[in-house]
Amino acid sequence: MLRLACFVLCTTTALAWGPHTEIAQAALDAMGPGDPLAKHLGADTKCLAQYVWMADWRQQLLVRADEVFYSDDVLIFPAAAKHFQHICPEVRQTYAPYFRRALQALRTESPRNAARWIGSLIHFTTDTGSPPHALGILGPTHSKMENWLDAKLIHIPGYKPQLLGMDDAAAEAGFIRRMEGLIEFSKQRAERCRADVDGDRRALVEPVVLESALETTRVTADLLHTLGVLAARSIGDASLSGQIIAPKTNHPTLSRLPVKIVLAGTTFSTLSEAGGSFAFHHLPAVEFRPVISTPGRVMELPPVKLAAGAAMRLDSLDISKDTAGNLIRNPAFQLRWVSAEGFDHWNRRKPPARLAGASPQIDWEGEWIPLVKGITYQLSAQWQDAAASGEDVQIFIRTKARPVYESPPGESAALTPGSPELRITGTAEVAWAQVIVRTRKSPETVIETIRFHSVP
Ligand SMILES: [Zn+2]
């Protein structure tokens, strides 16, 4: 068990292309503070050197001094309803949707939210330039090849970032061409150094991998510069803002979680600021259906019709009551903004092979919730179909000690229509909990709502 744990963790560390931060920083340095993107993002420009890791933080709650948010709120959206691999060929599918979404965020959302979306985009961009990602090699060769370089050498002084296209469509096509060029460039480097990697001749490998890192930096600088230039071309001139008083929870971290606001039927979404205020700028003049999501509550607001040039401010909305301390987002499976096949804030996964039967079982994985040491939490459910048996649906809790995506989880007993609630207490080992619904049916047909809350 312990050996398995170590293996999983070590593999994880080794599979990450080391210099994401250095590449993003060197690209920003080459652009300089006068670049349109840096001007647009202002103080949040520097966040990109961290947010460039975003896609490696999938299915995590990110907790920092000045922010708390679920990474999937800037990784999963209607044009990218699942997590993609960061290696060729699959990573190619990320370029167009995340490029458009990042550009949309620059135009319509706060600088901080825009920086988060750009972080997701440039994670896929920079991962692609890693030689083993470009060539699509896994295993020990992969890890050595992408980590045998001195990240301190990543600088591109004097490089002038290129505009990849004059308008959105041209820039998107230009970006994809630039990425195809980067794949070709890094594939050649991978082929050139592969024998030296396998022969453990690190000194010969490093300069070749550095060439890829530098080309990746130039591509990143081009991309960021292009986004900054295009951000100024607006797609509309209406705005929509408001303030939401979120449910009070006594949870020290989740009480800092922003409210998510999505405009149903569009790719527009945003996360609120600390006090619950939110704003969309430069929206087209059409009718929108805002839906808000917080722990314990999803609420659809009346449709709003925006006139061209209008600045509509919604009445402040207090939804602080009636969630009974529930820490689960989308607890009644109402919100299906991302996709009609899934449920927002729930990740769909096939369970382990031994459980595969005639009709496929699906694990719906809830979001990871941090537990406070010494506090007891209770899981309960209201059943839609009380006649359903444990065969049809099981609800259980997975726990882990660390927030990282791959850390090996432990599982609780299952809650079924016949069993009472489940309780767990936070400890050093049981520091994170995730509610899983394992079922052959669509969960909302069996379960009315799930509640996970602290008990006194
Ligand atoms: Zn990655």
Side-chain angles (χ1 to χ4, degrees), residues 15-17 20 52-53 55-57 84-87 123-124 126-127 133:
L15 266 179
W17 166 230
H20 286 289
V52 65
W53 288 97
D56 277 357
W57 296 332
F84 291 91
Q85 288 182 26
H86 306 175
I87 190 164
H123 184 85
F124 296 122
T126 50
D127 251 358
H133 283 251

Side-chain angles (χ1 to χ4, degrees), residues 82 101-102 140 217 247 289 304:
K82 62 158 198 163
R101 189 59 188 81
T217 309
R289 290 184 293 129
V304 286

Side-chain angles (χ1 to χ4, degrees), residues 328-330 333 343-348 364-366 435 437:
I328 298 177
R329 291 204 296 178
N330 202 13
F333 304 98
F343 304 93
D344 288 34
H345 314 313
W346 294 88
N347 186 68
R348 180 197 173 101
W364 296 95
E365 300 175 331
V435 175
V437 179

